[in-house]
Amino acid sequence: GWKDAISTTIINFNNEKMQITWAARELFPSENVSFSYTFAEGKNKVWKPCPTYLLDQDYNSGCLFKTEGPTLAISIRNSNGSEELFSKTLKSDFYIKPNRPENVTFFWKADTVTVSCNKPERGVKCLTLELQYKSKFDKDWQSRTSKCCSVGEQGFDPRKCYSFRVRLKRLVPYCNVVNYSSDWAAETFWMNGTLLDSCDDDIKSHSKTVTVLSCLLAVLLVMLILLILLCKCQRLRKSVMPAIPDPKYIFADLFNDHNGNFQEWIDKSDHAMVQTKLEYEEPECIIEAESQQEDEKNCDKQEPQEKIFSFSRAAENNDPKAAQIACLMPTSNAIASFAGFQILMKDDMYVML
């Protein structure tokens, strides 16, 4: 009964090669066993020794040989082959592990992706095509299975990068007694119908864009801060050290009209100031005389020539006070005061006290 308890692993690689393995160290710890097999049926079986052993710490732990038919018989014996330790007869077709898909193609349209591969030469009805995919935002693979050899899926975001992988699976229990699948085909990366080397490229490009924008914003912020500090420094400098005015702009006529000749400019300026002062003070005499308009008329009627002669010369001597006296002097005998002096008018004579 202990022979039936021996556990073996049987794999038929695409119905081309057979691999039988066992736990050598656990099942046969004291000796190195031998293996033989046959694909013949009936009484006249021809047993073949294992052409290639698989080793586990120098102990025979498996055998690899060519698949030659649908029915397989195996035998495990002691090291010299005198005693059979384990034997079994099986259908090799129920242990097929398919090869990985070949010539995998992707067709991307809108949000739908269709994946297809070449059909195997045999056993197509027993195969299904499995598609797995995930984006950089997914933790686990999403799976979709269809009959060989095309599978499609909807709902893909064209703005995301996806990883895709496909494999072939044998149907259980109709074709296999063990759920064997092929190895995964090479993983590919796609984004909106464009094949990429890696989804990291999309992350790197996004990170580069973010880095460039961050640098630009930082530069603009630094420039703004420097501009504000510059304005504040200029205001502080002006408040602490006021700017010295440029005489070229204050005395424009000195430099433009007189070419910097100060004596010529000051002489002309004094003459202009005298003229301006006279023109400005004469109206003041008229304004101050308005309050005594009637007295002035009487004054003009009695002694027009002498008063005009006497005080017009005073005006010619640039004495504005004398001009004011001529206008403010009363016509009758009276005493008037002006600038600390008393002026007495008696008959046709003016006496200043």
Side-chain angles (χ1 to χ4, degrees):
W2 67 273
K3 293 182 181 180
D4 297 334
I6 293 177
S7 176
T8 58
T9 302
I10 304 168
I11 303 176
N12 184 358
F13 292 101
N14 200 39
N15 209 24
E16 297 173 356
K17 286 186 177 182
M18 295 292 300
Q19 177 180 292
I20 312 296
T21 57
W22 57 88
R25 301 289 296 173
E26 297 176 3
L27 298 174
F28 313 107
S30 60
E31 59 179 325
N32 201 3
V33 299
S34 62
F35 179 86
S36 58
Y37 70 95
T38 182
F39 285 94
E41 299 181 13
K43 295 182 180 180
N44 300 323
K45 294 181 180 179
V46 179
W47 292 91
K48 297 180 181 180
C50 177
T52 304
Y53 278 103
L54 304 177
L55 302 179
D56 179 14
Q57 298 181 4
D58 296 332
Y59 281 85
N60 295 335
S61 62
C63 182
L64 186 63
F65 53 94
K66 184 179 179 181
T67 303
E68 299 176 359
T71 303
L72 172 65
I74 61 175
S75 176
I76 299 176
R77 296 176 178 270
N78 57 5
S79 57
N80 57 15
S82 61
E83 181 183 359
E84 185 179 74
L85 303 177
F86 174 75
S87 64
K88 186 176 183 179
T89 301
L90 53 94
K91 291 291 184 180
S92 61
D93 292 345
F94 288 167
Y95 295 88
I96 294 178
K97 179 179 180 177
N99 290 340
R100 66 178 62 188
E102 297 179 354
N103 296 329
V104 180
T105 58
F106 287 80
F107 179 73
W108 192 304
K109 183 178 181 180
D111 65 340
T112 303
V113 175
T114 303
V115 184
S116 59
C117 67
N118 289 350
K119 291 183 178 181
E121 295 180 358
R122 52 191 174 184
V124 177
K125 293 182 179 180
C126 290
L127 296 174
T128 59
L129 183 64
E130 181 183 9
L131 168 67
Q132 286 191 348
Y133 60 90
K134 68 176 180 178
S135 70
K136 59 186 178 181
F137 303 102
D138 300 325
K139 294 182 179 179
D140 301 323
W141 289 93
Q142 307 296 320
S143 183
R144 172 77 168 150
T145 304
S146 180
K147 64 180 182 179
C148 188
C149 288
S150 179
V151 59
E153 183 65 16
Q154 296 178 342
F156 291 96
D157 190 344
R159 298 170 296 179
K160 294 181 181 179
C161 178
Y162 292 90
S163 303
F164 292 94
R165 63 183 184 180
V166 292
R167 66 180 177 179
L168 292 172
K169 298 180 66 174
R170 290 277 292 187
L171 293 174
V172 178
Y174 305 104
C175 299
N176 263 34
V177 295
V178 182
N179 188 14
Y180 282 147
S181 301
S182 70
D183 295 333
W184 291 105
E187 186 176 349
T188 56
F189 307 93
W190 294 80
M191 181 177 179
N192 195 22
T194 303
L195 179 63
L196 303 176
D197 294 334
S198 172
C199 282
D200 294 337
D201 297 339
D202 178 54
I203 297 174
K204 289 180 180 178
S205 62
H206 180 70
S207 62
K208 287 181 180 179
T209 304
V210 172
T211 303
V212 171
L213 292 177
S214 301
C215 292
L216 290 176
L217 291 176
V219 171
L220 292 176
L221 182 60
V222 171
M223 292 178 64
L224 180 60
I225 293 174
L226 291 176
L227 184 61
I228 295 174
L229 292 177
L230 181 61
C231 293
K232 289 187 176 181
C233 288
Q234 288 182 351
R235 290 182 180 179
L236 180 62
R237 187 183 66 178
K238 288 182 179 180
S239 61
V240 176
M241 300 177 61
I244 300 174
D246 191 349
K248 181 177 180 181
Y249 301 100
I250 300 176
F251 304 101
D253 53 346
L254 172 61
F255 295 94
N256 296 334
D257 299 338
H258 303 281
N259 296 323
N261 191 333
F262 180 79
Q263 188 62 40
E264 180 183 345
W265 173 76
I266 196 65
D267 292 341
K268 188 173 182 180
S269 299
D270 289 343
H271 179 70
M273 290 176 64
V274 171
Q275 296 294 330
T276 304
K277 188 174 182 181
L278 290 176
E279 292 176 358
Y280 176 75
E281 290 177 347
E282 287 178 358
E284 290 183 356
C285 175
I286 297 172
I287 293 172
E288 293 179 0
E290 287 180 355
S291 62
Q292 300 178 359
Q293 186 174 6
E294 293 180 359
D295 295 336
E296 289 179 359
K297 290 179 180 180
N298 297 327
C299 177
D300 292 338
K301 289 179 181 180
Q302 292 177 1
E303 297 293 338
Q305 294 180 353
E306 291 181 1
K307 291 181 179 180
I308 292 172
F309 174 79
S310 299
F311 292 98
S312 62
R313 295 189 64 180
E316 289 178 357
N317 293 328
N318 298 330
D319 190 354
K321 296 180 180 181
Q324 292 179 359
I325 293 171
C327 295
L328 297 176
M329 184 61 65
T331 56
S332 59
N333 294 340
I335 296 175
S337 63
F338 184 81
F341 295 95
Q342 290 184 352
I343 301 173
L344 175 62
M345 180 181 177
K346 185 175 182 182
D347 297 332
D348 292 335
M349 299 296 292
Y350 295 96
V351 180
M352 180 177 293
L353 302 179

